[in-house]
Amino acid sequence: MDKNVLIQYVEMKEEIKDLRRRIHENERELAKLENMIVTDSVTRGKRGKKPLGTVKITGRPTTAINTKRNSLKKRNKKLIALEEELLELTNQAEEYIETIPKSELRIMFRFYFLDGMSYPKAADQMNQRFPKRRIKYTDENIKKRIQRYFENVPQCPDEKC
């Protein structure tokens, strides 16, 4: 297990967020279509060159509604599958973080990767957790410590890279 698990986890969370946004947008469009009534004027026919008259036709755009419903169903199924995959990745990411020897680093990793906090927010949380620390945490401090950890830890400890 290596840092790719953490990267995949963060990317998967963003993909799910994007899919939820698309589903919400699709539901809004579907609601508009279901409330919409379409009206059109057509000619009845012609006698020679003169039309016999026009007729006003009204109805709902059923084809568009069915297309949106099918699209929504597919996206909901995909969302369920992605959420299940995200749960597995969450477990793998937590297992990877638990292998980090220092408790302080584990907390930083949880804030940054699992909770999705930015470096400044993670620094604020670390300062709240450790208020008596002589040197306060900063966003650069958090960023550098995470980078150094990845530089110093081999990515495949069981095998030769």
Side-chain angles (χ1 to χ4, degrees), residues 49-147:
K49 291 186 178 183
K50 293 185 178 184
L52 293 175
T54 58
V55 176
K56 191 175 183 181
I57 299 175
T58 59
R60 291 176 29 160
T62 55
T63 307
I65 290 172
N66 290 335
T67 304
K68 288 287 180 192
R69 280 187 183 146
N70 290 336
S71 173
L72 189 61
K73 285 179 187 177
K74 286 178 185 176
R75 285 186 176 163
N76 281 328
K77 285 179 185 177
K78 184 173 183 175
L79 179 64
I80 290 169
L82 284 176
E83 285 177 338
E84 288 174 1
E85 191 175 337
L86 180 67
L87 187 60
E88 291 175 24
L89 273 175
T90 304
N91 291 336
Q92 291 176 4
E94 287 173 347
E95 288 172 9
Y96 177 75
I97 290 172
E98 289 303 316
T99 63
I100 298 172
K102 287 189 170 184
S103 172
E104 183 181 34
L105 272 176
R106 285 195 301 266
I107 295 170
M108 285 180 203
F109 272 69
R110 281 190 201 104
F111 286 151
Y112 184 71
F113 289 104
L114 295 181
D115 297 339
M117 293 182 184
S118 62
Y119 290 122
K121 285 184 181 179
D124 287 343
Q125 287 295 319
M126 290 299 289
N127 286 326
Q128 288 178 12
R129 299 282 192 278
F130 301 101
K132 294 182 181 178
R133 189 169 191 256
R134 191 169 45 96
I135 300 172
K136 297 293 179 191
Y137 292 97
T138 63
D139 56 336
E140 279 298 313
N141 181 321
I142 302 284
K143 182 178 180 179
K144 281 291 182 188
R145 290 182 85 172
I146 289 173
Q147 287 175 348

Side-chain angles (χ1 to χ4, degrees), residues 142-155:
I142 302 284
K143 182 178 180 179
K144 281 291 182 188
R145 290 182 85 172
I146 289 173
Q147 287 175 348
R148 285 187 192 130
Y149 178 79
F150 286 133
E151 288 172 2
N152 296 331
V153 174
Q155 296 306 310

Side-chain angles (χ1 to χ4, degrees), residues 38-49:
V38 180
T39 305
D40 194 14
S41 295
V42 294
T43 58
R44 284 195 220 167
K46 291 186 177 184
R47 174 177 275 171
K49 291 186 178 183

